[in-house]
Amino acid sequence: MARAYAIANQLFCLFLKEKLYRMTTPIFLNALRAFEVSARHQSFSAAAAELNVTPAAVGQLVRSLEEWLAFPLFHRSGGGRARLIPTDIATRALPDIRAGFDRLNLGLARLKEASTGGVLTVTVSPAFAAKWLLPRIDRFQTAWPETDVRLDTSLKLMDFASQGIDIGVRYGAGHWPGLQAEKLMDEEVFPVCSREFLERHSGLRGPADLAGLTLIDDLSVDRQSGFVTWDTWLENAGVKVVASRAGLKINNSAAVLQAAVDGHGVALARSVLARDDLNSGRLIRLFPEITLPSSLAYFVVYRKECAALLRLVAFREWLLSETARDRV
């Protein structure tokens, strides 16, 4: 009896080995993924949209898995919103299959941490990209040629996990849920204008002389966050706010500076963004004896679980080295 059981067990192992040989590992994983996504959406069409393949391809993968298992995974319906209902055994297996894919994704992420190659996705504001990052990015690319930088410029606060963001630079008080934040740069706020504008308004000798001139307002930052406005700066300078003053309002910090460069008025500049324009002489700082540090600053931000990613570490250290270069 024992010998017969051993022979039967050996035959079963040979049968299982042959079954596994017929369904190679990549196809096997693809079929499991097609099954999991189809079960989640209860639709081959919706699964196909997520997997970026045709519904027929998803259906074929699921059928191949059912043939290999020799039992159905879905109750199929010809109509209604949910045409695929997982069978009881499929429903019991799904949590383990999903956990397995989660572990695979985690393992792949660990492998990616060991390489500086690949794509690094960086989120910054359009103004920071134009006025600070892009004029310097070639130095990072020269130092790390195997890293491809994908720049996502937006004023919106991106969800790093769902949108595949690796690292970013944000302007604010330094607190963003779910993100590590390291201060990159403080800044100061002061009035600037073009040399030509200053020549046309030769009487501009003190803050009180701003009355009647076009003052360019930056609307890109929430006023409730502690952002320095013209009213704040004028009050700090001891000048009563002129309610009837002329104004030009722009919702992009880089465009605010460009409007000043073009001679359209006096802008309230942020020192980090205006540095290159000041160094080149395109803009002139007015009343340098009056200082007003901003309560907001620039921060490098990233998810804690991604902190060891070598591409991220390289970019973070490069950002810090660039800010140190600016201070020299």
Side-chain angles (χ1 to χ4, degrees):
M1 185 70 178
R3 180 176 174 77
Y5 175 80
I7 292 172
N9 186 58
Q10 186 177 14
L11 288 172
F12 174 76
C13 289
L14 288 171
F15 170 77
L16 183 59
K17 183 178 180 180
E18 189 271 338
K19 284 279 192 181
L20 289 173
Y21 176 78
R22 285 170 54 195
M23 180 171 277
T24 58
T25 299
I27 297 175
F28 181 68
L29 289 175
N30 288 340
L32 281 175
R33 172 59 79 187
F35 161 59
E36 187 278 324
V37 179
S38 298
R40 179 154 36 88
H41 291 290
Q42 297 186 346
S43 165
F44 286 155
S45 296
E50 178 175 328
L51 298 172
N52 199 27
V53 297
T54 65
V58 174
Q60 181 58 42
L61 283 169
V62 171
R63 282 190 292 274
S64 68
L65 184 59
E66 290 176 323
E67 290 172 3
W68 186 79
L69 292 168
F71 58 78
L73 294 169
F74 293 106
H75 300 295
R76 289 163 169 82
S77 171
R81 186 174 181 181
R83 299 188 177 186
L84 296 177
I85 305 298
T87 61
D88 289 343
I89 192 169
T91 300
R92 291 197 299 271
L94 277 168
D96 291 325
I97 292 171
R98 286 168 180 153
F101 278 116
D102 289 342
R103 297 296 296 179
L104 282 172
N105 290 332
L106 182 60
L108 287 173
R110 293 286 183 264
L111 291 174
K112 286 170 64 179
E113 288 175 2
S115 171
T116 57
V119 177
L120 181 75
T121 303
V122 182
T123 180
V124 295
S125 72
F128 187 82
K131 289 296 187 179
W132 194 92
L133 183 58
L134 289 177
R136 296 163 171 77
I137 195 65
D138 62 316
R139 290 199 281 267
F140 176 79
Q141 292 174 315
T142 299
W144 302 94
E146 68 276 25
T147 300
D148 293 327
V149 176
R150 184 169 72 88
L151 201 57
D152 192 319
T153 60
S154 175
L155 289 175
K156 296 180 180 178
L157 296 184
M158 312 295 282
D159 186 303
F160 278 42
S162 66
Q163 295 176 287
I165 303 295
D166 296 307
I167 191 170
V169 176
R170 283 185 174 172
Y171 183 68
H175 305 291
W176 294 277
L179 295 177
Q180 296 281 102
E182 297 180 54
K183 183 178 284 189
L184 187 63
M185 292 176 281
D186 288 306
E187 74 172 1
E188 188 182 352
V189 181
F190 45 77
V192 297
C193 68
S194 69
R195 189 176 301 277
E196 292 75 16
F197 185 91
L198 188 57
E199 290 172 354
R200 294 200 311 270
H201 300 85
S202 56
L204 187 53
R205 294 186 174 88
D209 298 325
L210 291 169
L213 299 182
T214 298
L215 303 185
I216 306 171
D217 282 296
D218 187 343
L219 303 181
S220 65
V221 181
D222 181 7
R223 301 309 172 98
Q224 303 302 316
S225 65
F227 184 63
V228 177
T229 64
W230 266 116
D231 289 349
T232 307
W233 190 89
L234 289 168
E235 183 179 353
N236 177 74
V239 177
K240 291 184 178 181
V241 177
V242 181
S244 60
R245 66 176 173 82
L248 175 63
K249 303 180 186 299
I250 304 176
N251 66 347
N252 181 295
S253 298
V256 166
L257 294 177
Q258 188 58 47
V261 169
D262 293 339
H264 296 308
V266 180
L268 197 58
R270 293 156 55 182
S271 58
V272 169
L273 302 183
R275 181 178 287 111
D276 289 349
D277 288 323
L278 291 168
N279 291 340
S280 68
R282 290 188 294 271
L283 288 175
I284 304 295
R285 176 174 178 174
L286 301 175
F287 328 124
E289 70 280 4
I290 300 175
T291 60
L292 181 57
S294 174
S295 62
L296 308 180
Y298 292 89
F299 292 82
V300 184
V301 292
Y302 51 87
R303 288 183 292 153
K304 185 176 182 179
E305 58 267 31
C306 296
L309 185 66
L310 291 188
R311 295 189 297 278
L312 186 153
V313 171
F315 193 77
R316 170 186 163 276
E317 291 181 350
W318 174 78
L319 287 172
L320 293 171
S321 70
E322 285 293 315
T323 58
R325 179 198 289 255
D326 286 344
R327 288 193 292 270
V328 174

